Amino acid sequence: MANNDAFSMFEDISPRKQEPTLQVLYDYEKHYMELIKQHKNEIIFIENMLKDYRQENIDFFNNQLSRISQKLDAEHINKDMKNAWLKRLEENMNRSFAISEKLITDYTTKKLDEFKTIANEKLRSI
């Protein structure tokens, strides 16, 4: 008599896939490390983009903004005009940084999804 309960579809799974052996885990880890090696340049690219983004953000708020303010003072720009201009500049830079961060995050997420898909395909074949 055939077993037609909810779990019967899983009876055909090979013992190797039901209980991963050390060799299966080793094969998967080996493949995962090979993927990392293959995507090394993309990983470095993302790391550099994030590093540059953070550095540019820090530099703007810690250095550039105060230099611009000092330059406007040296040019004897009206204080109200200077403050309004600096406020607009800061708002625009915050928007620009947010867009840059979103682009980097979207790119990173896309690459991670691709990486996970490849890793999962290999896991199913083990």
Side-chain angles (χ1 to χ4, degrees):
M1 179 163 103
N3 187 0
N4 289 328
D5 63 15
F7 299 102
S8 63
M9 70 174 70
F10 298 108
E11 291 175 355
D12 292 340
I13 297 175
S14 72
R16 187 170 184 213
K17 288 189 178 181
Q18 286 177 355
E19 295 181 29
T21 63
L22 202 50
Q23 184 62 44
V24 171
L25 293 173
Y26 172 78
D27 291 345
Y28 180 72
E29 184 175 294
K30 180 180 173 191
H31 176 70
Y32 199 81
M33 294 308 293
E34 288 172 5
L35 278 175
I36 290 175
K37 285 179 188 176
Q38 290 171 2
H39 290 75
K40 176 183 173 185
N41 290 338
E42 291 170 331
I43 293 167
I44 292 170
F45 178 70
I46 290 169
E47 178 184 25
N48 287 335
M49 278 195 307
L50 287 168
K51 180 180 165 189
D52 292 346
Y53 162 77
R54 291 180 186 122
Q55 187 58 49
E56 185 179 351
N57 194 318
I58 289 168
D59 184 54
F60 176 75
F61 287 104
N62 289 347
N63 301 318
Q64 298 299 325
L65 200 55
S66 64
R67 285 186 201 149
I68 293 168
S69 179
Q70 291 170 0
K71 180 74 172 166
L72 293 173
D73 286 339
E75 297 291 326
H76 306 292
I77 303 296
N78 175 283
K79 184 177 180 178
D80 292 335
M81 185 182 290
K82 174 190 129 180
N83 289 338
W85 190 83
L86 288 175
K87 183 179 177 188
R88 258 185 37 204
L89 174 62
E90 188 172 346
E91 289 169 353
N92 288 334
M93 288 303 292
N94 276 325
R95 238 184 330 274
S96 175
F97 286 133
I99 291 169
S100 294
E101 183 178 30
K102 175 99 172 87
L103 289 171
I104 293 169
T105 301
D106 289 351
Y107 179 80
T108 302
T109 301
K110 179 180 179 259
K111 289 301 175 183
L112 280 172
D113 288 345
E114 289 173 9
F115 189 85
K116 287 177 186 176
T117 299
I118 294 168
N120 286 333
E121 287 172 0
K122 181 62 177 182
L123 181 60
R124 282 191 293 273
S125 70
I126 294 178

